[in-house]
Amino acid sequence: MENYHITHDDDRWVLREEGDKRALIEAATKEDIIAETRDYMKLRTASVKIHTVDGQIEEERTYPRDQDPRATKG
């Protein structure tokens, strides 16, 4: 499973693959980057960690959503 991070960078929000400095998607707001990430992940199996402005991990989402371990028994 691939790992991605949504982080705040200067005056924008960016999606990057873990270990890559290149921004895959950029957006002005956190809501916009999350929406664009949802579309980008439609054909991928991945984990996306969403960070706060100060860099702390706020949430983790698994794509496709049915792959989320919290949705499974055990």
Side-chain angles (χ1 to χ4, degrees), residues 1-3 5 13 15 17 22 42 47 55:
M1 180 181 294
E2 298 171 346
N3 293 299
H5 295 266
W13 289 90
L15 173 70
E17 189 169 357
R22 180 178 48 107
K42 282 185 179 174
S47 170

Side-chain angles (χ1 to χ4, degrees), residues 3-66:
N3 293 299
Y4 294 83
H5 295 266
I6 292 176
T7 56
H8 191 258
D9 187 4
D10 293 326
D11 61 342
R12 64 196 173 121
W13 289 90
V14 297
L15 173 70
R16 290 187 175 101
E17 189 169 357
E18 192 168 275
D20 193 350
K21 295 179 189 276
R22 180 178 48 107
L24 298 169
I25 302 172
E26 300 179 16
T29 68
K30 191 173 196 175
E31 293 78 20
D32 289 344
I33 194 75
I34 290 171
E36 291 183 39
T37 297
R38 189 178 311 115
D39 290 339
Y40 183 80
M41 292 295 163
K42 282 185 179 174
L43 300 175
R44 292 172 173 77
T45 301
S47 170
V48 178
K49 292 177 180 69
I50 303 170
H51 296 256
T52 61
V53 172
D54 65 1
Q56 299 295 317
I57 295 175
E58 176 179 43
E59 180 182 353
E60 182 174 2
R61 295 186 183 183
T62 304
Y63 295 91
R65 297 296 285 170
D66 65 355

